[in-house]
Amino acid sequence: EVYVKGELNIFELINFDLLDGVIVDIIALIENSDETIKNELCKKLERECNKPVITLNLPMGNYPISTSSDEPVFREILEHVLDVHGVSKIAFLTGRKGYAIAEERLEICLNVMRERGLEVKPEWIFYGDFWYSSGRSMAEKIISGEIAKPEAIVCASDHMAIGLVNYLVEHGVRVPEDIIVTGFEAYQEAALNMISVTSFESNETQTAANAIDMLRTILEPDKGIIPLNTKERSYMHAGMSCGCAPGFIHSARVFKDSFYFLNRDHSENANVDIGLLMEGYVAE
């Protein structure tokens, strides 16, 4: 709570008079389902900001939301799990129930399964919060036998996938031999995890471009919009969690970028490293 109050002070530095508009990345403001920072920022914007505000992916107040379809990415994920690895008993771990992006990502996956004539048990549809903890929660249910063990689990975020993989392995479930796991968003943590997580880049470039276009339409409605030029490509970065050989070039780049500032699982406090030192408050 003390740190949350400290972090909130950063928003006191904003001079809205100097801005033409505001774009808010909601997911970055939520941790372990704690929406305190998001809610306080929303109050501040409503109180002090008379400029247009756009949010990314998730709702905040009555502000418009910029999104983009994740369909090409999640279709590629399902095609990889189904066709390359030949499994069909697939469980899904998505974000919070009712959130548009969480429901969309789940629905895309379920549509692919329906198109293939494949069943998804109701117990294999699990709602989380995009964070490590919900991955562990699902793993606990599998280990205890509350959920029947699937052949693969498709996760709607890397953080959930990492929490899931690590907890399964800690409790004797082999990944990928017993359960294949895939993530989403291709974060550094996924490539650096002890069992690297096969992940897929998001379509967030399009989401960001859409947000800029929305602001431009509000601020200069008579001006044209230059569309983002996207080329067809694979979104996949292979890792150990599905049984594929990790992509060497991607892994090497991630390792180089993270060599000094180490990534940490913020839900655990098992080690002291350079990353922890850099995230400390001593310098401040």
Side-chain angles (χ1 to χ4, degrees):
E1 183 182 351
V2 175
Y3 292 129
V4 169
K5 289 181 179 178
E7 288 182 357
L8 280 168
N9 283 325
I10 193 71
F11 300 117
E12 298 302 318
L13 300 175
I14 303 174
N15 183 348
F16 293 110
D17 293 335
L18 300 178
L19 306 178
D20 293 316
V22 177
I23 297 175
V24 185
D25 184 4
I26 302 297
I27 292 178
L29 302 178
I30 301 174
E31 182 175 332
N32 280 339
S33 300
D34 185 349
E35 298 190 358
T36 302
I37 294 177
K38 185 200 83 169
N39 294 336
E40 291 300 318
L41 178 59
C42 183
K43 292 176 186 176
K44 181 178 178 65
L45 288 167
E46 292 172 345
R47 187 174 61 246
E48 302 176 18
C49 181
N50 60 1
K51 306 297 175 66
V53 176
I54 308 293
T55 71
L56 300 182
N57 288 319
L58 298 178
M60 184 177 75
N62 295 316
Y63 296 117
I65 306 171
S66 173
T67 61
S68 60
S69 176
D70 290 317
E71 182 161 1
V73 189
F74 276 88
R75 279 193 172 274
E76 183 177 354
I77 294 172
L78 265 293
E79 288 167 1
H80 181 78
V81 174
L82 290 166
D83 299 334
V84 176
H85 294 289
V87 300
S88 59
K89 298 177 180 178
I90 304 175
F92 300 94
L93 173 56
T94 190
R96 187 175 302 178
K97 191 175 182 63
Y99 271 10
I101 59 170
E103 299 289 1
E104 181 202 24
R105 292 171 185 176
L106 174 61
E107 189 60 25
I108 294 167
C109 295
L110 295 179
N111 282 340
V112 174
M113 296 293 281
R114 293 186 196 109
E115 291 168 9
R116 302 285 188 106
L118 299 172
E119 177 193 8
V120 179
K121 296 182 180 181
E123 67 181 29
W124 284 349
I125 297 174
F126 196 89
Y127 287 91
D129 59 4
F130 293 119
W131 202 239
Y132 304 100
S133 51
S134 48
R136 283 198 297 273
S137 296
M138 186 176 189
E140 288 173 352
K141 293 180 182 297
I142 293 171
I143 292 165
S144 68
E146 184 177 340
I147 297 176
K149 187 170 72 174
E151 295 175 315
I153 303 173
V154 171
C155 301
S157 85
D158 280 344
H159 294 120
M160 294 193 296
I162 292 167
L164 175 69
V165 167
N166 292 348
Y167 198 89
L168 287 173
V169 172
E170 286 170 11
H171 291 79
V173 179
R174 299 175 302 164
V175 176
E177 293 87 352
D178 297 329
I179 301 178
I180 287 171
V181 177
T182 64
F184 175 69
E185 290 169 321
Y187 285 139
Q188 288 184 342
E189 293 98 318
L192 292 170
N193 199 51
M194 185 64 68
I195 293 179
S196 59
V197 174
T198 295
S199 189
F200 294 73
E201 292 180 25
S202 71
N203 207 13
E204 288 299 283
T205 301
Q206 186 67 61
T207 303
N210 291 346
I212 295 294
D213 291 346
M214 291 169 71
L215 281 181
R216 176 70 179 272
T217 302
I218 295 170
L219 297 169
E220 298 178 310
D222 57 327
K223 301 292 180 65
I225 298 295
I226 301 173
L228 177 68
N229 182 20
T230 56
K231 299 179 180 178
E232 289 188 10
R233 62 184 178 86
S234 172
Y235 294 88
M236 178 180 173
H237 292 290
M240 299 159 59
S241 67
C242 74
C244 288
F248 173 75
I249 294 176
H250 174 68
S251 299
R253 187 179 74 246
V254 168
F255 181 78
K256 177 180 177 294
D257 291 345
S258 305
F259 184 70
Y260 181 71
F261 188 82
L262 301 179
N263 292 284
R264 310 186 73 249
D265 180 342
H266 294 275
S267 60
E268 302 289 345
N269 292 292
N271 62 313
V272 177
D273 54 30
I274 295 297
L276 179 60
L277 174 63
M278 296 295 291
E279 292 178 7
Y281 296 90
V282 176
E284 287 87 336

